[in-house]
Amino acid sequence: MRIWKAAGALALAFGAAPVAAQQPDVTELIRRIEALQQRVNQLERERRAPRPAARAAVPAQPAAPAAPAPSVAAVVVVPPPRTPEVVRAEVDQALRGSLDGLAMRVPNTDTSVRLYGFIRLTGYTDFNARNPTDAASVQGIPLTGSAAASQTGGFDMTARGSRIGFDTRTETGWGRLDTTVEADFRGEISQGGDLALRLRLAFAELTRGDWSFLAGQANSLWNEGLIEAYHDATNLNQSFIRQAQLRATRRFGPNWTVQASLEAPYGDVTTQNGPIFSPIRLDGGASPVFDQAPDLLARLTWRDGPEEYVLRGLVRRLALDADGTVLGPGGSESSLGWGIAAHARLPLGRWMAPFGRDELLLMGHYGEGVGRYFAGNTFGQAALSDITSTGGTGFSLEPVPSYGGTIGYRRFWSDTLRSTVAYAYARQDFPDGIDFAPGSRGALSLNREMQQVIANLVWSPFAANTTTRQPFGWLDLGIEYVFSRRDLEDGAQAAGSGGVGHGIANRLVAFGVARF
């Protein structure tokens, strides 16, 4: 039926043409009908023929456009399933920061943040005089013949030296910005009781090229930790001052660094009644020690790996203003304090191979009015004054000249075992003309000479796992012996009736430090 319909449609099409253009005879019409019939039969056979299961692609015929082919990526590239290890590696890479240790990059920022600190447990025992503090400086050990010296040395242990902190690093349009906030637990609330968190560091530092600029509370430029020691006190001839400051640093090539800072003042003067300080109220009233300007400090460093040479100096203004205080009226006095110090860290193996990593450590200093910058030596004794509680205008203010030196040797027995042995000596030449009554607090604090010996043995079992903050691994265990002696100005005479003008302390310390 379909065939005849197709033939009829073709005949009508021919018939619809203009008569003048066709005029075919009967023979021509029959030929055309037969050709059309053959074509229709061929199409019908092709439609009815069975199709093969798989058929090769045939060349495209002029027909309706085919559906769009799948993209090459969708057909050819089929990503394999990602294992948990692969996913973790990708996440680690995305969060990896520019700081080592427990650090990560904050997502969608250019800031890296790191948590760090250590858990520190210290136990100590004294062999002679009782000195119930873990922070026993040389200048305050009990005098021979005193009540404390008559008691047997005691034992105690504490973890208040533990620390926690975090720092950040951010790349900015002005340069690299580093920030640090650090605290420990040495703010004791009650004797033998709870411990309070105490701020140690809080500063920001911007580095651009060879320049750096710091603002906040940071280690003083006077500081140096030349000797590796683990008892909690400030060693003789060493400084661990932390205070608010503005600092500029300039680097010259790979070895030289010059630094200068304006640092918060903290005046300290000793009178007949003992040391007094500028920010501390005296007998319920304002302190007569008066701060008028920031301290100025500078530091020059040459360093090549473990080899180091440092020269540092400070200038400070000391002032005493009795007006408006419990010691006034009486006018005011002021003076200039200053100090210089130098140290060297010498890796002996650079010149004599058998010494390996061993180090020789040398330090010397001189100054007038250095005071608290050597807190283990002369805290409170930047200057002396004969001002009395009755006031008056005849008092004086005299900076205290001081000098001393330290020599130490650090021996590496192996990669995990090391020792430090050090000797330190310091002397104060107190000004003539200022005499305190024998047995007074002032007289008992004037140490003409002080000496200290430190010897320790430290085991670092994970010394192979080091970082910038963990140069010997995350764990230190060891013991340390500390000998200290102080001799008073005027000796036994200063101690008063029946006193002895010196004090000796022998302390054994055991410690463990776990860093993170």
Side-chain angles (χ1 to χ4, degrees), residues 204 212-218 221 243-249 259-264 294-297:
S212 295
F213 302 94
L214 180 147
Q217 177 162 311
L221 283 186
Q243 58 196 11
Q245 60 188 273
L246 297 173
R247 179 195 300 176
T249 300
Q259 298 172 285
S261 62
L262 295 174
E263 304 191 12
D295 297 346
L296 174 63
L297 292 93

Side-chain angles (χ1 to χ4, degrees), residues 1-11:
M1 184 68 180
R2 292 179 181 177
I3 297 175
W4 292 111
K5 286 182 179 180
L10 184 59

Side-chain angles (χ1 to χ4, degrees), residues 251-475:
R251 287 165 289 278
F252 296 90
N255 304 114
W256 290 97
T257 303
V258 177
Q259 298 172 285
S261 62
L262 295 174
E263 304 191 12
Y266 191 103
D268 53 326
V269 177
T270 292
T271 70
Q272 174 91 0
N273 296 324
I276 54 179
F277 305 92
S278 58
I280 300 176
R281 299 178 68 81
L282 181 64
D283 295 335
S287 172
V289 179
F290 200 67
D291 292 325
Q292 298 177 318
D295 297 346
L296 174 63
L297 292 93
R299 187 180 184 102
L300 175 65
T301 302
W302 187 93
R303 182 181 293 116
D304 181 14
E307 186 176 0
E308 177 184 74
Y309 305 93
V310 175
L311 176 66
R312 63 191 192 274
L314 68 88
V315 177
R316 59 191 303 222
R317 183 175 177 82
L318 304 170
L320 197 62
D321 191 343
D323 292 336
T325 74
V326 296
L327 301 184
S332 62
E333 290 287 342
S334 64
S335 186
L336 193 68
W338 61 274
I340 58 173
H343 76 255
R345 185 185 301 273
L346 306 174
L348 299 180
R350 286 197 169 185
W351 303 287
M352 294 170 283
F355 284 97
R357 298 169 62 189
D358 292 4
E359 294 178 329
L360 180 64
L361 313 164
L362 303 169
M363 193 281 287
H365 76 274
Y366 181 84
E368 296 183 6
V370 174
R372 68 184 181 89
Y373 280 96
F374 278 132
N377 305 20
T378 56
F379 187 68
Q381 297 174 0
L384 300 187
S385 176
D386 55 3
I387 191 171
T388 66
S389 58
T390 59
T393 59
F395 65 85
S396 62
L397 181 67
E398 300 290 340
V400 176
S402 61
Y403 58 90
T406 299
I407 181 171
Y409 180 74
R410 181 155 71 167
R411 168 66 177 168
F412 287 86
W413 304 101
S414 68
D415 290 340
T416 60
L417 196 65
R418 64 190 183 277
S419 295
T420 296
V421 178
Y423 170 77
Y425 172 86
R427 180 182 174 96
Q428 279 67 244
D429 289 334
F430 296 102
D432 296 331
I434 298 181
D435 295 319
F436 298 149
S440 67
R441 289 184 59 194
L444 295 178
S445 69
L446 301 186
N447 300 302
R448 182 185 69 247
E449 292 181 327
M450 288 174 286
Q451 302 175 71
Q452 187 173 60
V453 175
I454 298 174
N456 58 41
L457 179 66
V458 185
W459 180 47
S460 300
F462 304 103
N465 304 321
T466 63
T467 68
T468 302
R469 289 186 177 274
Q470 301 176 10
F472 299 107
W474 65 268
L475 181 65

